[in-house]
Amino acid sequence: MRIVALGTLRDFWREHPDAEAPLRGWYAEASRADWSTPADIKACYRNASFVANNRVVFNIKGNDYRLVVAVHYNRRMMFVRFIGTHREYDRIDASTI
């Protein structure tokens, strides 16, 4: 998968250094993946949540942080839409962000 907005992840882990290793791990795995359906993602990340508009929510660092991506399965692309704490995540609508 091609992941757009690595800079967003970098900016986040600069502010939250404990998120760097888990986010780098997620990025490395997702970059190598060839996910063509939600089931493909679920096979790798059983705790991933799927919401409307092809948004997927990943738990990062033991569920300390939430990562929301918009997935374009046909183009094999993921767009980082949000990364934040649970408190910040609770204030957004993951399906529209």
Side-chain angles (χ1 to χ4, degrees):
M1 302 294 286
R2 181 168 172 237
I3 302 167
V4 176
L6 176 60
T8 301
L9 299 181
R10 280 190 194 123
D11 290 345
F12 186 79
W13 74 53
R14 284 182 186 131
E15 289 186 36
H16 304 273
D18 61 329
E20 181 175 0
L23 284 171
R24 282 184 182 273
W26 175 87
Y27 183 86
E29 187 168 4
S31 294
R32 289 188 306 267
D34 185 23
W35 295 324
S36 59
T37 67
D40 294 338
I41 295 174
K42 199 67 161 172
C44 292
Y45 290 94
R46 66 174 202 228
N47 291 326
S49 301
F50 300 86
V51 294
N53 297 322
N54 286 327
R55 301 301 199 265
V56 182
V57 181
F58 293 94
N59 297 321
I60 303 295
K61 193 186 167 279
N63 212 15
D64 285 350
Y65 304 108
R66 293 279 178 99
L67 170 65
V68 179
V69 299
V71 182
H72 293 257
Y73 296 100
N74 60 335
R75 294 190 283 165
R76 303 294 193 267
M77 294 181 73
M78 300 176 93
F79 296 86
V80 174
R81 304 299 299 158
F82 170 86
I83 178 70
T85 65
H86 266 277
R87 179 174 285 159
E88 293 165 334
Y89 174 80
D90 289 342
R91 288 183 264 171
I92 67 162
D93 179 355
S95 66
T96 61
I97 195 161

